Amino acid sequence: MSATPPVVVIALAANELSSPRAAAILKSAHEVLGPNVTVRVEMLGANGGNGRNVVDEHPTSAYAWLAWDVRDPRVAHLRCYIPEDNRWVQRDVSFTDQDPENERGRTLGFVVGSIFVEAREPQSEPAVRVPQLPQNQWQLEPKRFLIAAAASIAAPGDATSLGAWIGAQRALSKIFWIGVAGEGRIGTVNQAQASTRFFSFGALATVRLIPQMGRGWWGLQSFLGAENLTFVHLSEDDAFAVTQSAWVPKLEILAHGNLDLSSSSMLFVDLGTNYRFGATNIYVHQSLKAHIPAFIGIGRIGVGTRF
């Protein structure tokens, strides 16, 4: 049976040390642990300058490390070292946007204190060691794969069309993703009594620009691939529909706005231009009936999931 540690050190980021939340954490943890335990806070990186040497794998006193999730700042990750048992305990605490900072601090302090109080209880199972987090990583490993779908619209003129877009990407870092995407849109050209179909497939890349942390951010999304344009015309003097089809290389550059709804779901909007490598003219009976320009405006709104 373990004893309550005489000293508990709570390691916080430098920008939290003077916050009301830090004061609430300290007070709440002290209330749970009791007057015989000294509770103090320490700045991450105080011993090593960059957080690498705050404590080693076997600290000499009880430690509680607090970090906020990079992708979802409503989730706090606690990693506590129990020196008497030489083991690590990890807890995740989730909050809502409506929770005040003081209440978040009280809750976190209560969880920290409870972990060390519960350490006095006999262990019914062998303790499972939590591996040490990689250097400079204070959050859980982010979800690396993303699947997204969106409704899309293109304009102007004869290029006006509506459809759907789907993409799959893999994160190479916290701010950069690559993958593949496909899109299908349909439209009409009334003056030619015709319909248009646009189908494209290619490589996709997304980069997060501002801000680097938080639920909402802006970035850029690019697409390079090929697009098939099909033009189907049926006039009164035609016995059958006349179909014309062509493949054209395509490049998209879009402003990408993202809002994380949770750690695994997100809402996004895209707005930019679709550059087709060459304009397309449609002739019916040697008469120009439609013109698809090289530059086309593109807008999308959709949802995605990470896993």
Side-chain angles (χ1 to χ4, degrees), residues 15-78:
N15 59 357
E16 287 207 58
L17 291 180
S18 60
S19 68
R21 184 166 58 198
I25 292 173
L26 189 63
K27 180 180 178 182
S28 180
H30 192 271
E31 290 174 351
V32 174
L33 292 167
N36 296 327
V37 179
T38 299
V39 182
R40 60 182 177 89
V41 296
E42 183 176 285
M43 182 178 68
L44 297 181
N47 297 329
N50 59 4
R52 294 175 56 182
N53 303 314
V54 174
V55 295
D56 58 24
E57 182 66 15
H58 304 283
T60 57
S61 63
Y63 250 84
W65 292 2
L66 168 65
W68 294 92
D69 192 273
V70 170
R71 295 193 179 277
D72 189 350
R74 298 170 297 179
V75 179
H77 305 304
L78 287 169

Short mmCIF file of all heavy atoms in Angstrom, two decimals, residues 15-78:
data_model
loop_
_atom_site.label_atom_id
_atom_site.label_comp_id
_atom_site.label_asym_id
_atom_site.label_seq_id
_atom_site.Cartn_x
_atom_site.Cartn_y
_atom_site.Cartn_z
N ASN A 15 2.68 29.88 -19.98
CA ASN A 15 1.60 30.86 -20.11
C ASN A 15 0.41 30.56 -19.21
O ASN A 15 -0.56 31.30 -19.20
CB ASN A 15 1.13 30.94 -21.57
CG ASN A 15 0.62 29.60 -22.09
OD1 ASN A 15 0.67 28.59 -21.39
ND2 ASN A 15 0.18 29.58 -23.32
N GLU A 16 0.48 29.46 -18.45
CA GLU A 16 -0.61 29.12 -17.54
C GLU A 16 -0.30 29.42 -16.09
O GLU A 16 -1.19 29.38 -15.24
CB GLU A 16 -0.97 27.63 -17.67
CG GLU A 16 -1.70 27.28 -18.93
CD GLU A 16 -2.57 26.04 -18.73
OE1 GLU A 16 -3.45 26.08 -17.86
OE2 GLU A 16 -2.37 25.06 -19.45
N LEU A 17 0.97 29.69 -15.78
CA LEU A 17 1.38 29.81 -14.39
C LEU A 17 0.63 30.89 -13.64
O LEU A 17 0.31 30.73 -12.45
CB LEU A 17 2.89 30.06 -14.31
CG LEU A 17 3.79 28.88 -14.74
CD1 LEU A 17 5.24 29.27 -14.61
CD2 LEU A 17 3.48 27.65 -13.90
N SER A 18 0.34 32.02 -14.27
CA SER A 18 -0.32 33.13 -13.59
C SER A 18 -1.81 33.21 -13.89
O SER A 18 -2.44 34.20 -13.56
CB SER A 18 0.36 34.45 -13.99
OG SER A 18 0.27 34.65 -15.39
N SER A 19 -2.36 32.18 -14.50
CA SER A 19 -3.77 32.21 -14.89
C SER A 19 -4.67 31.80 -13.73
O SER A 19 -4.25 31.08 -12.81
CB SER A 19 -4.01 31.28 -16.07
OG SER A 19 -3.82 29.93 -15.68
N PRO A 20 -5.94 32.23 -13.73
CA PRO A 20 -6.90 31.78 -12.70
C PRO A 20 -7.06 30.27 -12.70
O PRO A 20 -7.30 29.67 -11.65
CB PRO A 20 -8.19 32.49 -13.10
CG PRO A 20 -7.76 33.68 -13.91
CD PRO A 20 -6.53 33.23 -14.64
N ARG A 21 -6.90 29.66 -13.87
CA ARG A 21 -7.04 28.21 -13.95
C ARG A 21 -5.95 27.52 -13.14
O ARG A 21 -6.21 26.53 -12.44
CB ARG A 21 -6.98 27.76 -15.41
CG ARG A 21 -7.22 26.27 -15.60
CD ARG A 21 -7.50 25.94 -17.05
NE ARG A 21 -6.41 26.36 -17.92
CZ ARG A 21 -6.52 26.51 -19.24
NH1 ARG A 21 -7.69 26.32 -19.82
NH2 ARG A 21 -5.48 26.86 -19.97
N ALA A 22 -4.71 28.03 -13.21
CA ALA A 22 -3.61 27.43 -12.45
C ALA A 22 -3.84 27.55 -10.96
O ALA A 22 -3.58 26.62 -10.19
CB ALA A 22 -2.29 28.09 -12.85
N ALA A 23 -4.34 28.72 -10.52
CA ALA A 23 -4.63 28.90 -9.09
C ALA A 23 -5.70 27.93 -8.63
O ALA A 23 -5.63 27.37 -7.52
CB ALA A 23 -5.06 30.34 -8.84
N ALA A 24 -6.72 27.70 -9.47
CA ALA A 24 -7.79 26.78 -9.11
C ALA A 24 -7.28 25.34 -9.05
O ALA A 24 -7.69 24.55 -8.20
CB ALA A 24 -8.94 26.90 -10.11
N ILE A 25 -6.37 24.98 -9.97
CA ILE A 25 -5.77 23.64 -9.95
C ILE A 25 -5.03 23.41 -8.64
O ILE A 25 -5.19 22.39 -7.97
CB ILE A 25 -4.81 23.47 -11.15
CG1 ILE A 25 -5.59 23.45 -12.47
CG2 ILE A 25 -4.00 22.18 -11.00
CD1 ILE A 25 -4.69 23.45 -13.70
N LEU A 26 -4.21 24.37 -8.27
CA LEU A 26 -3.40 24.26 -7.06
C LEU A 26 -4.29 24.13 -5.82
O LEU A 26 -4.07 23.27 -4.96
CB LEU A 26 -2.50 25.47 -6.95
CG LEU A 26 -1.41 25.45 -5.88
CD1 LEU A 26 -0.42 24.34 -6.14
CD2 LEU A 26 -0.70 26.79 -5.82
N LYS A 27 -5.30 24.98 -5.72
CA LYS A 27 -6.19 24.97 -4.55
C LYS A 27 -6.96 23.67 -4.46
O LYS A 27 -7.06 23.06 -3.37
CB LYS A 27 -7.13 26.16 -4.63
CG LYS A 27 -8.10 26.24 -3.45
CD LYS A 27 -9.02 27.45 -3.58
CE LYS A 27 -10.02 27.50 -2.44
NZ LYS A 27 -10.95 28.64 -2.56
N SER A 28 -7.54 23.23 -5.58
CA SER A 28 -8.36 22.01 -5.56
C SER A 28 -7.52 20.78 -5.24
O SER A 28 -7.94 19.91 -4.46
CB SER A 28 -9.04 21.85 -6.92
OG SER A 28 -9.84 20.69 -6.95
N ALA A 29 -6.32 20.68 -5.82
CA ALA A 29 -5.46 19.53 -5.53
C ALA A 29 -5.07 19.49 -4.06
O ALA A 29 -5.04 18.43 -3.44
CB ALA A 29 -4.22 19.58 -6.42
N HIS A 30 -4.78 20.67 -3.48
CA HIS A 30 -4.39 20.73 -2.07
C HIS A 30 -5.56 20.32 -1.17
O HIS A 30 -5.36 19.63 -0.15
CB HIS A 30 -3.93 22.14 -1.72
CG HIS A 30 -3.25 22.24 -0.39
ND1 HIS A 30 -3.94 22.48 0.78
CD2 HIS A 30 -1.94 22.09 -0.04
CE1 HIS A 30 -3.09 22.50 1.79
NE2 HIS A 30 -1.87 22.27 1.32
N GLU A 31 -6.80 20.69 -1.55
CA GLU A 31 -7.96 20.30 -0.76
C GLU A 31 -8.14 18.79 -0.76
O GLU A 31 -8.54 18.20 0.25
CB GLU A 31 -9.21 20.99 -1.31
CG GLU A 31 -9.23 22.49 -1.06
CD GLU A 31 -10.42 23.16 -1.75
OE1 GLU A 31 -11.10 22.46 -2.54
OE2 GLU A 31 -10.64 24.36 -1.51
N VAL A 32 -7.88 18.13 -1.89
CA VAL A 32 -8.05 16.69 -1.97
C VAL A 32 -6.93 15.96 -1.23
O VAL A 32 -7.17 14.98 -0.50
CB VAL A 32 -8.09 16.24 -3.45
CG1 VAL A 32 -8.12 14.71 -3.55
CG2 VAL A 32 -9.30 16.84 -4.15
N LEU A 33 -5.69 16.43 -1.37
CA LEU A 33 -4.54 15.73 -0.79
C LEU A 33 -4.39 15.97 0.72
O LEU A 33 -3.78 15.17 1.41
CB LEU A 33 -3.26 16.15 -1.51
CG LEU A 33 -3.15 15.69 -2.96
CD1 LEU A 33 -2.02 16.40 -3.67
CD2 LEU A 33 -2.95 14.18 -3.02
N GLY A 34 -4.92 17.11 1.20
CA GLY A 34 -4.86 17.37 2.63
C GLY A 34 -3.72 18.28 3.02
O GLY A 34 -2.80 18.54 2.24
N PRO A 35 -3.74 18.78 4.28
CA PRO A 35 -2.77 19.77 4.73
C PRO A 35 -1.35 19.23 4.90
O PRO A 35 -0.40 20.01 5.00
CB PRO A 35 -3.34 20.24 6.07
CG PRO A 35 -4.16 19.07 6.55
CD PRO A 35 -4.75 18.45 5.32
N ASN A 36 -1.18 17.92 4.96
CA ASN A 36 0.15 17.35 5.17
C ASN A 36 0.95 17.19 3.87
O ASN A 36 2.07 16.71 3.90
CB ASN A 36 0.03 15.99 5.86
CG ASN A 36 -0.56 16.10 7.26
OD1 ASN A 36 -0.33 17.10 7.95
ND2 ASN A 36 -1.33 15.10 7.66
N VAL A 37 0.35 17.57 2.77
CA VAL A 37 1.00 17.44 1.46
C VAL A 37 1.28 18.83 0.90
O VAL A 37 0.40 19.70 0.90
CB VAL A 37 0.14 16.64 0.47
CG1 VAL A 37 0.84 16.53 -0.88
CG2 VAL A 37 -0.16 15.25 1.03
N THR A 38 2.50 19.04 0.45
CA THR A 38 2.86 20.31 -0.20
C THR A 38 2.61 20.19 -1.70
O THR A 38 3.12 19.26 -2.35
CB THR A 38 4.35 20.63 0.04
OG1 THR A 38 4.57 20.77 1.45
CG2 THR A 38 4.74 21.92 -0.67
N VAL A 39 1.82 21.11 -2.24
CA VAL A 39 1.51 21.12 -3.67
C VAL A 39 2.10 22.39 -4.27
O VAL A 39 1.84 23.49 -3.79
CB VAL A 39 0.00 21.07 -3.92
CG1 VAL A 39 -0.28 21.03 -5.43
CG2 VAL A 39 -0.64 19.88 -3.23
N ARG A 40 2.91 22.24 -5.28
CA ARG A 40 3.48 23.41 -5.94
C ARG A 40 3.47 23.20 -7.46
O ARG A 40 3.36 22.07 -7.93
CB ARG A 40 4.90 23.67 -5.46
CG ARG A 40 5.90 22.55 -5.72
CD ARG A 40 7.27 22.89 -5.15
NE ARG A 40 8.23 21.82 -5.32
CZ ARG A 40 9.01 21.68 -6.38
NH1 ARG A 40 8.91 22.55 -7.38
NH2 ARG A 40 9.88 20.69 -6.47
N VAL A 41 3.55 24.30 -8.18
CA VAL A 41 3.57 24.23 -9.64
C VAL A 41 4.98 24.52 -10.15
O VAL A 41 5.76 25.19 -9.49
CB VAL A 41 2.57 25.22 -10.27
CG1 VAL A 41 1.15 24.88 -9.90
CG2 VAL A 41 2.91 26.65 -9.88
N GLU A 42 5.26 24.00 -11.32
CA GLU A 42 6.56 24.20 -11.95
C GLU A 42 6.36 24.42 -13.44
O GLU A 42 5.49 23.81 -14.06
CB GLU A 42 7.45 22.97 -11.72
CG GLU A 42 8.85 23.10 -12.29
CD GLU A 42 9.70 21.90 -11.95
OE1 GLU A 42 10.13 21.79 -10.78
OE2 GLU A 42 9.92 21.06 -12.84
N MET A 43 7.14 25.31 -14.01
CA MET A 43 7.01 25.63 -15.44
C MET A 43 7.65 24.54 -16.27
O MET A 43 8.75 24.07 -15.97
CB MET A 43 7.67 26.98 -15.74
CG MET A 43 7.54 27.41 -17.20
SD MET A 43 8.29 29.02 -17.51
CE MET A 43 10.02 28.64 -17.27
N LEU A 44 6.96 24.12 -17.32
CA LEU A 44 7.55 23.16 -18.24
C LEU A 44 8.80 23.77 -18.87
O LEU A 44 8.79 24.89 -19.34
CB LEU A 44 6.55 22.82 -19.36
CG LEU A 44 5.26 22.14 -18.92
CD1 LEU A 44 4.40 21.84 -20.13
CD2 LEU A 44 5.56 20.86 -18.18
N GLY A 45 9.85 23.01 -18.90
CA GLY A 45 11.09 23.49 -19.49
C GLY A 45 11.97 24.27 -18.53
O GLY A 45 12.98 24.81 -18.94
N ALA A 46 11.58 24.37 -17.25
CA ALA A 46 12.36 25.17 -16.31
C ALA A 46 13.77 24.63 -16.13
O ALA A 46 14.72 25.36 -15.91
CB ALA A 46 11.66 25.22 -14.96
N ASN A 47 13.93 23.30 -16.27
CA ASN A 47 15.24 22.70 -16.06
C ASN A 47 15.99 22.46 -17.36
O ASN A 47 17.20 22.33 -17.37
CB ASN A 47 15.10 21.34 -15.32
CG ASN A 47 14.52 21.54 -13.95
OD1 ASN A 47 14.72 22.57 -13.33
ND2 ASN A 47 13.78 20.54 -13.47
N GLY A 48 15.21 22.40 -18.45
CA GLY A 48 15.87 22.05 -19.69
C GLY A 48 15.73 23.09 -20.77
O GLY A 48 16.29 22.94 -21.83
N GLY A 49 14.94 24.12 -20.54
CA GLY A 49 14.84 25.18 -21.52
C GLY A 49 13.81 24.93 -22.59
O GLY A 49 13.24 25.84 -23.13
N ASN A 50 13.52 23.66 -22.88
CA ASN A 50 12.56 23.37 -23.93
C ASN A 50 11.60 22.25 -23.57
O ASN A 50 10.92 21.71 -24.40
CB ASN A 50 13.30 22.99 -25.23
CG ASN A 50 14.20 21.79 -25.04
OD1 ASN A 50 14.24 21.18 -23.99
ND2 ASN A 50 14.93 21.45 -26.10
N GLY A 51 11.55 21.88 -22.31
CA GLY A 51 10.61 20.87 -21.89
C GLY A 51 11.14 19.45 -21.96
O GLY A 51 10.47 18.54 -21.52
N ARG A 52 12.34 19.24 -22.47
CA ARG A 52 12.83 17.88 -22.62
C ARG A 52 13.27 17.29 -21.30
O ARG A 52 13.21 16.08 -21.11
CB ARG A 52 13.99 17.86 -23.62
CG ARG A 52 13.58 18.23 -25.02
CD ARG A 52 14.77 18.31 -25.95
NE ARG A 52 15.53 17.05 -25.94
CZ ARG A 52 16.64 16.87 -26.64
NH1 ARG A 52 17.11 17.84 -27.38
NH2 ARG A 52 17.28 15.72 -26.59
N ASN A 53 13.78 18.11 -20.39
CA ASN A 53 14.35 17.60 -19.16
C ASN A 53 13.59 18.03 -17.92
O ASN A 53 14.15 18.22 -16.86
CB ASN A 53 15.81 18.05 -19.04
CG ASN A 53 16.63 17.61 -20.22
OD1 ASN A 53 16.53 16.46 -20.62
ND2 ASN A 53 17.42 18.51 -20.79
N VAL A 54 12.28 18.24 -18.07
CA VAL A 54 11.49 18.64 -16.90
C VAL A 54 11.60 17.57 -15.81
O VAL A 54 11.88 17.85 -14.67
CB VAL A 54 10.03 18.86 -17.31
CG1 VAL A 54 9.18 19.14 -16.09
CG2 VAL A 54 9.94 20.00 -18.31
N VAL A 55 11.37 16.34 -16.17
CA VAL A 55 11.63 15.20 -15.30
C VAL A 55 12.12 14.06 -16.19
O VAL A 55 11.87 14.05 -17.39
CB VAL A 55 10.37 14.74 -14.52
CG1 VAL A 55 9.92 15.80 -13.55
CG2 VAL A 55 9.26 14.36 -15.46
N ASP A 56 12.82 13.10 -15.55
CA ASP A 56 13.23 11.95 -16.34
C ASP A 56 12.19 10.86 -16.20
O ASP A 56 11.10 11.08 -15.69
CB ASP A 56 14.64 11.49 -15.93
CG ASP A 56 14.70 11.13 -14.45
OD1 ASP A 56 13.63 10.81 -13.87
OD2 ASP A 56 15.79 11.16 -13.86
N GLU A 57 12.51 9.67 -16.68
CA GLU A 57 11.56 8.57 -16.63
C GLU A 57 11.28 8.13 -15.19
O GLU A 57 10.24 7.53 -14.93
CB GLU A 57 12.10 7.40 -17.46
CG GLU A 57 11.17 6.19 -17.54
CD GLU A 57 9.89 6.50 -18.29
OE1 GLU A 57 9.83 7.53 -18.98
OE2 GLU A 57 8.95 5.70 -18.17
N HIS A 58 12.15 8.45 -14.26
CA HIS A 58 11.96 8.05 -12.87
C HIS A 58 12.18 9.26 -11.96
O HIS A 58 13.23 9.37 -11.31
CB HIS A 58 12.93 6.92 -12.51
CG HIS A 58 12.81 5.72 -13.40
ND1 HIS A 58 11.80 4.80 -13.30
CD2 HIS A 58 13.59 5.31 -14.44
CE1 HIS A 58 11.95 3.87 -14.22
NE2 HIS A 58 13.02 4.16 -14.93
N PRO A 59 11.23 10.18 -11.89
CA PRO A 59 11.39 11.35 -11.02
C PRO A 59 11.51 10.92 -9.56
O PRO A 59 11.07 9.84 -9.16
CB PRO A 59 10.10 12.15 -11.26
CG PRO A 59 9.57 11.63 -12.56
CD PRO A 59 9.96 10.19 -12.62
N THR A 60 12.10 11.79 -8.75
CA THR A 60 12.28 11.48 -7.33
C THR A 60 11.09 11.90 -6.49
O THR A 60 11.01 11.55 -5.31
CB THR A 60 13.54 12.18 -6.80
OG1 THR A 60 13.43 13.59 -7.04
CG2 THR A 60 14.77 11.65 -7.51
N SER A 61 10.17 12.68 -7.08
CA SER A 61 8.96 13.09 -6.35
C SER A 61 7.75 12.88 -7.24
O SER A 61 7.87 12.57 -8.43
CB SER A 61 9.07 14.56 -5.93
OG SER A 61 9.16 15.39 -7.07
N ALA A 62 6.57 13.02 -6.64
CA ALA A 62 5.33 12.85 -7.40
C ALA A 62 5.16 14.00 -8.39
O ALA A 62 5.30 15.16 -8.02
CB ALA A 62 4.16 12.80 -6.44
N TYR A 63 4.88 13.66 -9.63
CA TYR A 63 4.74 14.67 -10.67
C TYR A 63 3.41 14.51 -11.38
O TYR A 63 2.94 13.39 -11.60
CB TYR A 63 5.87 14.54 -11.70
CG TYR A 63 6.87 15.68 -11.63
CD1 TYR A 63 7.91 15.65 -10.72
CD2 TYR A 63 6.76 16.77 -12.48
CE1 TYR A 63 8.83 16.67 -10.66
CE2 TYR A 63 7.68 17.80 -12.43
CZ TYR A 63 8.72 17.75 -11.52
OH TYR A 63 9.63 18.77 -11.45
N ALA A 64 2.81 15.64 -11.74
CA ALA A 64 1.61 15.65 -12.58
C ALA A 64 1.86 16.61 -13.73
O ALA A 64 2.05 17.80 -13.51
CB ALA A 64 0.39 16.09 -11.77
N TRP A 65 1.88 16.09 -14.93
CA TRP A 65 2.09 16.92 -16.12
C TRP A 65 0.75 17.19 -16.78
O TRP A 65 -0.05 16.28 -17.00
CB TRP A 65 3.00 16.21 -17.11
CG TRP A 65 4.42 16.04 -16.67
CD1 TRP A 65 4.95 16.42 -15.49
CD2 TRP A 65 5.47 15.44 -17.43
NE1 TRP A 65 6.27 16.11 -15.45
CE2 TRP A 65 6.64 15.50 -16.63
CE3 TRP A 65 5.55 14.87 -18.68
CZ2 TRP A 65 7.85 15.00 -17.05
CZ3 TRP A 65 6.77 14.38 -19.12
CH2 TRP A 65 7.91 14.44 -18.31
N LEU A 66 0.51 18.44 -17.10
CA LEU A 66 -0.74 18.83 -17.76
C LEU A 66 -0.45 19.38 -19.14
O LEU A 66 0.41 20.25 -19.30
CB LEU A 66 -1.48 19.88 -16.93
CG LEU A 66 -2.66 20.59 -17.63
CD1 LEU A 66 -3.77 19.60 -17.92
CD2 LEU A 66 -3.18 21.74 -16.76
N ALA A 67 -1.17 18.90 -20.16
CA ALA A 67 -1.04 19.43 -21.52
C ALA A 67 -2.42 19.44 -22.17
O ALA A 67 -3.25 18.57 -21.90
CB ALA A 67 -0.08 18.59 -22.34
N TRP A 68 -2.65 20.44 -23.01
CA TRP A 68 -3.93 20.56 -23.73
C TRP A 68 -3.76 20.02 -25.13
O TRP A 68 -2.76 20.27 -25.80
CB TRP A 68 -4.39 22.01 -23.75
CG TRP A 68 -4.72 22.51 -22.39
CD1 TRP A 68 -3.89 23.14 -21.51
CD2 TRP A 68 -5.97 22.36 -21.71
NE1 TRP A 68 -4.54 23.41 -20.33
CE2 TRP A 68 -5.82 22.94 -20.42
CE3 TRP A 68 -7.19 21.80 -22.05
CZ2 TRP A 68 -6.86 22.99 -19.49
CZ3 TRP A 68 -8.22 21.83 -21.13
CH2 TRP A 68 -8.06 22.41 -19.87
N ASP A 69 -4.75 19.27 -25.58
CA ASP A 69 -4.71 18.65 -26.89
C ASP A 69 -4.57 19.70 -27.98
O ASP A 69 -5.26 20.72 -27.98
CB ASP A 69 -5.97 17.82 -27.11
CG ASP A 69 -5.84 16.92 -28.32
OD1 ASP A 69 -6.15 17.38 -29.44
OD2 ASP A 69 -5.44 15.78 -28.15
N VAL A 70 -3.69 19.45 -28.95
CA VAL A 70 -3.45 20.41 -30.03
C VAL A 70 -4.67 20.53 -30.93
O VAL A 70 -5.06 21.62 -31.34
CB VAL A 70 -2.20 20.00 -30.84
CG1 VAL A 70 -2.09 20.85 -32.10
CG2 VAL A 70 -0.96 20.14 -29.99
N ARG A 71 -5.30 19.43 -31.26
CA ARG A 71 -6.43 19.45 -32.19
C ARG A 71 -7.73 19.86 -31.52
O ARG A 71 -8.58 20.48 -32.15
CB ARG A 71 -6.60 18.08 -32.85
CG ARG A 71 -5.43 17.70 -33.75
CD ARG A 71 -5.79 16.51 -34.60
NE ARG A 71 -4.69 16.15 -35.49
CZ ARG A 71 -4.44 16.71 -36.65
NH1 ARG A 71 -5.22 17.70 -37.06
NH2 ARG A 71 -3.44 16.30 -37.39
N ASP A 72 -7.92 19.51 -30.25
CA ASP A 72 -9.14 19.85 -29.55
C ASP A 72 -8.76 20.47 -28.20
O ASP A 72 -8.53 19.74 -27.24
CB ASP A 72 -10.01 18.61 -29.35
CG ASP A 72 -11.40 18.95 -28.81
OD1 ASP A 72 -11.60 20.13 -28.41
OD2 ASP A 72 -12.28 18.08 -28.78
N PRO A 73 -8.66 21.79 -28.11
CA PRO A 73 -8.21 22.44 -26.87
C PRO A 73 -9.17 22.29 -25.71
O PRO A 73 -8.89 22.78 -24.62
CB PRO A 73 -8.05 23.90 -27.29
CG PRO A 73 -8.95 24.07 -28.46
CD PRO A 73 -8.93 22.76 -29.18
N ARG A 74 -10.29 21.61 -25.91
CA ARG A 74 -11.20 21.34 -24.79
C ARG A 74 -10.80 20.08 -24.02
O ARG A 74 -11.39 19.76 -23.00
CB ARG A 74 -12.62 21.17 -25.32
CG ARG A 74 -13.20 22.41 -26.00
CD ARG A 74 -14.49 22.10 -26.71
NE ARG A 74 -14.28 21.14 -27.78
CZ ARG A 74 -15.24 20.67 -28.56
NH1 ARG A 74 -16.48 21.08 -28.38
NH2 ARG A 74 -14.98 19.81 -29.52
N VAL A 75 -9.80 19.35 -24.52
CA VAL A 75 -9.37 18.09 -23.90
C VAL A 75 -8.02 18.29 -23.23
O VAL A 75 -7.06 18.75 -23.87
CB VAL A 75 -9.28 16.96 -24.94
CG1 VAL A 75 -8.80 15.67 -24.29
CG2 VAL A 75 -10.63 16.74 -25.61
N ALA A 76 -7.94 17.95 -21.95
CA ALA A 76 -6.70 18.04 -21.18
C ALA A 76 -6.14 16.64 -20.97
O ALA A 76 -6.88 15.70 -20.69
CB ALA A 76 -6.94 18.71 -19.84
N HIS A 77 -4.82 16.51 -21.13
CA HIS A 77 -4.13 15.24 -20.92
C HIS A 77 -3.28 15.36 -19.65
O HIS A 77 -2.42 16.24 -19.55
CB HIS A 77 -3.23 14.90 -22.11
CG HIS A 77 -3.95 14.87 -23.42
ND1 HIS A 77 -5.06 14.09 -23.64
CD2 HIS A 77 -3.74 15.55 -24.58
CE1 HIS A 77 -5.49 14.26 -24.87
NE2 HIS A 77 -4.71 15.16 -25.47
N LEU A 78 -3.53 14.48 -18.69
CA LEU A 78 -2.77 14.43 -17.45
C LEU A 78 -1.93 13.16 -17.42
O LEU A 78 -2.43 12.07 -17.72
CB LEU A 78 -3.72 14.44 -16.23
CG LEU A 78 -4.42 15.76 -15.92
CD1 LEU A 78 -5.50 15.52 -14.88
CD2 LEU A 78 -3.42 16.79 -15.42
#
